[in-house]
């Protein structure tokens, strides 16, 4: 009954108030009796920041945040993040619980099949990522505080007018181009490939052939239609439902005027809706109680409780899924995506790690509880088993590399010929390409989707900052080959267009400069706070590990 009791508790604000007081007193007493010991322990294990011992919880949060962002983060990177979090606290940059809840609930990753926030999916995703809800909430809260701090530090950086002007003209100027397409004549099917080359390609591209982990599960559902509905409905509940759903009881006449249907008229509808709510709540309670049986046995071996026997006792039918991959939806399972997420969050080993929570909530028509059945680890098939596929991929890769060499040589041919005074059209014709006629093009045309040339956005990016007579620095990939072009003329666009582009460039450059200011500030902030890490930042990895081990 753990989940049921907890759900009832969190709905009672007086229980929460009493709980908060008890926790505050407990932590206060802990601080009184053990602050000095804890401070010395922290110093020993991590170090100090100025005249203050490192807060181990905040340091762990900083470490988790920075390593989630960059697995190659250094010890100094962790200290930089920790110092920024300390500074945010000093400045009082806090995040309210209401704002935190709104941000988390609005995350699309946590939405169920109905598009609404799904607590079961939320918990499953967090567990798969190694987070508890509290740890995740503190991570999100810290991230918001850092963005607030960044807003204070990096507000209003100034971009040099000359830089803005140069960039704006590159984006708005009209370029007259002459272009020619160099055809790719490398046929992958005829490319020679040795057995050694195929095997080397297989060894170097294992991820191309890696099969995902697959799992299967057994599951039971608790359809609300199978649970009794309360027939006696309190007047207060009817009144409350009517007030909360008044929009559902409005009608419009022919002139568009809205009229609220009287309570007496819609009362039967409300009583039916409330009865359905009671049935869903009963279904969820039954699912939660079923899942709690395995929570109570969380430290026992997986075979200590028979899922099928427990289901039979609860009057539920057990169904087995086929194997399914992470992120996929098992066929025929209610709330399939949420079940998939929950099953892949299970770690196995004990009963609790083999069975999910009740997947759904009091608003769900058919909450589900699932048990992990089989795990097929991710693997790479043997070379001989997929030889044909590997050889095909290796030939395509080799053909692509050969054509890249051809294109590089062709670009050199254009550059040499232009340097010798020959025209772009002459060089193209000698090498079997049609240079066509000149055309006018701009970066703004590309952004608008103008198709005067193949791959317009790539061409526009390649021509930026080029002047009259200049050749593109490399060929632009287009269907069937690569495009080479020469800038014939470059003229300014209308002043009004330039002004509009200039404003956008100024904002983007300021944002880029703001990011640079923020990065520099983060480093200088740590230095200003006089860090004293137990292990120097430039210590080898094995030395850091040894220090951590001795501290333990």
């Amino acid at each position: 009954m753990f989940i049921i009791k907890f759900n009832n508790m969190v709905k009672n604000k007086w229980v929460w108030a009493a709980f908060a007081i008890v926790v505050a007193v407990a932590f206060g007493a802990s601080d009184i009796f053990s602050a000095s010991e804890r401070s010395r322990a922290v110093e020993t294990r991590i170090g100090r920041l100025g005249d203050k011992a490192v807060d181990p919880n905040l340091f762990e949060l900083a470490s988790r945040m920075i390593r989630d962002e960059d697995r190659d983060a250094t010890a100094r990177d962790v200290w930089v993040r920790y110092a920024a979090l300390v500074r945010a606290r000093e400045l009082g940059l806090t995040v309210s619980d209401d704002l935190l809840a709104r941000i988390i609930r609005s995350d699309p990753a946590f939405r169920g099949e109905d598009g609404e926030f799904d607590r079961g999916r939320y918990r499953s995703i967090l567990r798969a990522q190694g987070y508890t809800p509290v740890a995740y909430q503190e991570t999100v809260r810290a991230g918001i505080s850092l963005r607030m701090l960044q807003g204070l530090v990096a507000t209003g950086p100034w971009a040099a007018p000359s830089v803005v002007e140069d960039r704006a003209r590159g984006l708005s100027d009209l370029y007259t181009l002459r272009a020619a397409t160099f055809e790719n004549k490398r046929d992958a099917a005829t490319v020679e490939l040795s057995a050694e080359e195929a095997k080397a390609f297989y060894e170097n591209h294992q991820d191309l052939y890696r099969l995902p982990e697959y799992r299967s599960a057994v599951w039971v559902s608790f359809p609300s239609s199978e649970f009794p509905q309360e027939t006696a409905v309190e007047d207060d509940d009817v009144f409350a439902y009517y007030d909360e759903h008044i929009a559902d009881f409005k009608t419009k006449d022919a002139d568009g005027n809205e009229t609220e249907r009287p309570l007496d008229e819609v009362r039967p509808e409300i009583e039916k809706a409330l009865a359905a709510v009671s049935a869903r709540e009963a279904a969820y309670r039954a699912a939660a109680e079923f899942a709690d049986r395995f929570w109570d046995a969380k430290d026992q071996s997986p075979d200590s409780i028979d899922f099928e026997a427990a289901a039979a006792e609860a009057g539920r039918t057990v169904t087995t899924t086929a194997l399914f991959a992470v992120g996929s939806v098992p066929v025929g399972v209610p709330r399939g995506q949420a079940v998939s997420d929950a099953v892949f969050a299970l770690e196995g080993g004990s009963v609790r790690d083999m069975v999910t929570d009740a997947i759904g909530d009091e608003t769900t028509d058919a909450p589900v509880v699932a048990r992990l059945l089989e795990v097929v680890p991710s693997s790479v098939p043997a070379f001989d088993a997929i030889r044909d596929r590997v050889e095909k991929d290796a030939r395509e890769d080799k053909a692509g590399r050969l054509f890249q060499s051809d294109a590089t040589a062709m670009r050199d041919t254009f550059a040499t010929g232009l340097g010798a005074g020959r025209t772009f059209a002459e060089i193209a014709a000698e090498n079997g390409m049609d240079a066509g006629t000149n055309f006018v093009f701009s970066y703004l045309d590309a952004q608008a989707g103008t198709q005067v040339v193949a791959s317009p956005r790539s061409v526009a990016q390649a021509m930026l900052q080029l002047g009259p007579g200049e050749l593109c620095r490399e060929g632009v990939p287009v269907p069937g080959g690569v495009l080479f072009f020469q800038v014939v003329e470059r003229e300014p666009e209308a002043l009004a267009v330039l002004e509009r582009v200039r404003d956008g460039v100024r904002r983007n450059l300021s944002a880029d400069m703001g990011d640079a200011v923020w990065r520099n500030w983060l480093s200088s902030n740590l230095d200003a706070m006089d860090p004293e890490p137990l292990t120097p930042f430039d210590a080898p990895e094995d030395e850091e590990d040894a220090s951590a081990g001795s501290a333990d």
Side-chain angles (χ1 to χ4, degrees):
M1 292 296 293
F2 173 79
I3 293 179
I4 296 298
K5 293 175 181 177
F6 181 77
N7 285 344
N8 291 335
M9 182 189 74
V10 297
K11 294 177 181 178
N12 190 317
K13 62 182 180 181
W14 302 112
V15 172
W16 267 115
F19 179 72
I21 293 172
V22 171
V23 171
V25 171
F27 276 102
S30 174
D31 288 341
I32 292 171
F33 290 113
S34 60
S36 60
E37 290 84 351
R38 187 166 64 253
S39 178
R40 285 195 294 272
V42 169
E43 270 190 76
T44 302
R45 287 189 288 114
I46 303 175
R48 299 179 65 83
L49 192 64
D51 60 352
K52 296 181 180 178
V54 167
D55 180 336
N57 294 325
L58 190 62
F59 191 87
E60 173 61 27
L61 175 60
S63 177
R64 185 169 61 243
M65 291 176 68
I66 197 69
R67 296 192 190 282
D68 281 349
E69 297 169 11
D70 181 6
R71 293 185 177 182
D72 298 324
T74 64
R76 179 178 172 85
D77 293 332
V78 176
W79 276 79
V80 165
R81 179 62 57 88
Y82 173 73
L85 291 173
V86 170
R87 188 70 75 186
R89 281 188 175 182
E90 292 176 350
L91 295 174
L93 301 178
T94 59
V95 180
S96 70
D97 291 341
D98 287 343
L99 175 59
L100 180 66
R102 288 200 302 272
I103 290 173
I104 292 177
R105 292 181 69 87
S106 65
D107 190 331
F110 302 140
R111 293 175 185 169
E113 296 171 356
D114 59 359
E116 299 296 326
F117 177 76
D118 187 317
R119 284 186 293 178
R121 180 175 175 81
Y122 169 67
R123 289 194 299 267
S124 296
I125 291 176
L126 262 54
R127 182 160 52 184
Q129 298 298 321
Y131 280 102
T132 64
V134 172
Y136 178 73
Q137 290 160 20
E138 288 309 305
T139 301
V140 174
R141 192 189 302 272
I144 299 170
S145 295
L146 286 179
R147 287 197 291 273
M148 294 165 66
L149 180 61
Q150 181 178 3
L152 293 177
V153 170
T155 299
W158 181 77
S162 59
V163 176
V164 173
E165 189 69 15
D166 186 55
R167 182 76 60 86
R169 288 193 176 280
L171 296 176
S172 62
D173 280 359
L174 300 175
Y175 293 76
T176 300
L177 307 179
R178 170 156 284 187
T181 299
F182 180 54
E183 183 182 355
N184 182 0
K185 296 183 179 179
R186 296 285 182 176
D187 182 3
T190 61
V191 169
E192 294 185 1
L193 184 77
S194 68
E196 291 75 16
E197 287 176 315
K199 192 64 179 292
F201 184 87
Y202 168 79
E203 295 294 343
N204 294 328
H205 298 82
Q206 295 276 294
D207 287 344
L208 287 177
Y209 309 108
R210 182 172 298 280
L211 299 174
E213 177 182 310
Y214 284 87
R215 294 189 173 193
S216 64
V218 291
W219 58 275
V220 294
S221 67
F222 296 77
S224 60
S225 59
E226 298 180 11
F227 288 82
Q229 301 181 355
E230 293 183 6
T231 55
V233 179
E234 298 290 338
D235 287 342
D236 289 345
D237 292 336
V238 173
F239 298 152
Y241 189 95
Y242 182 72
D243 290 338
E244 292 172 6
H245 299 81
I246 191 64
D248 297 335
F249 305 124
K250 291 183 177 180
T251 59
K252 287 185 179 181
D253 59 22
D255 297 327
N257 299 316
E258 287 189 344
T259 303
E260 294 178 5
R261 296 169 63 193
L263 176 59
D264 290 342
E265 178 184 326
V266 299
R267 185 179 183 106
E269 298 175 31
I270 294 176
E271 290 178 345
K272 182 178 180 181
L274 289 174
V277 169
S278 71
R280 286 193 291 269
E281 290 175 347
Y284 179 71
R285 281 196 299 271
E289 289 171 357
F290 182 80
D292 280 352
R293 297 183 59 174
F294 302 96
W295 175 277
D296 294 338
K298 61 183 177 180
D299 297 324
Q300 300 177 23
S301 69
D303 298 327
S304 62
I305 292 184
D306 189 325
F307 188 87
E308 286 75 6
E313 184 180 333
R316 301 291 101 197
T317 300
V318 177
T319 305
T320 303
T321 71
L323 288 168
F324 57 93
V326 61
S328 64
V329 178
V331 177
V333 183
R335 304 181 59 76
Q337 187 60 65
V339 171
S340 174
D341 294 340
V343 168
F344 270 92
L346 296 173
E347 298 177 359
S350 70
V351 172
R352 183 58 195 153
D353 292 331
M354 296 288 288
V355 180
T356 67
D357 294 329
I359 302 170
D361 54 35
E362 294 88 341
T363 65
T364 303
D365 285 328
V368 173
V369 178
R371 181 195 190 278
L372 179 61
L373 184 64
E374 181 183 4
V375 176
V376 179
S378 172
S379 63
V380 178
F383 174 75
D384 289 337
I386 54 173
R387 179 189 295 271
D388 291 345
R389 178 185 169 191
V390 173
E391 290 180 347
K392 179 177 180 295
D393 292 341
R395 283 193 174 88
E396 291 177 353
D397 177 74
K398 185 174 181 178
R401 287 184 284 108
L402 289 172
F403 177 66
Q404 189 174 22
S405 297
D406 296 342
T408 299
M410 190 66 249
R411 198 274 176 191
D412 292 341
T413 298
F414 270 111
T416 300
L418 292 173
R422 309 188 65 201
T423 68
F424 183 92
E426 290 172 346
I427 302 168
E430 287 180 0
N431 289 274
M433 293 176 280
D434 180 10
T437 58
N438 296 351
F439 62 93
V440 179
F441 192 55
S442 75
Y443 187 87
L444 297 181
D445 289 334
Q447 298 307 304
T450 303
Q451 295 289 332
V452 297
V453 64
S455 302
R457 292 176 184 266
S458 298
V459 172
Q461 194 64 42
M463 74 186 185
L464 289 180
Q465 311 309 320
L466 293 180
E470 290 189 279
L471 177 70
C472 58
R473 294 182 175 88
E474 59 183 15
V476 177
V478 295
V482 296
L483 185 82
F484 293 103
F485 66 86
Q486 180 188 33
V487 177
V488 180
E489 292 181 344
R490 177 175 168 177
E491 298 177 326
E493 179 56 285
L495 182 60
V497 175
L498 175 61
E499 287 289 347
R500 187 174 69 252
V501 173
R502 186 185 290 130
D503 289 341
V505 168
R506 185 180 294 109
R507 287 193 298 270
N508 290 337
L509 285 176
S510 295
D512 292 343
M513 294 174 66
D515 289 340
V517 169
W518 171 240
R519 290 192 296 270
N520 291 335
W521 181 89
L522 286 171
S523 182
S524 61
N525 175 62
L526 173 63
D527 295 337
M529 298 180 81
D530 192 19
E532 297 180 15
L534 175 64
T535 303
F537 294 138
D538 56 355
E541 290 291 334
D542 54 353
E543 182 178 332
E544 292 184 27
D545 294 341
S547 298
S550 63
D552 293 338

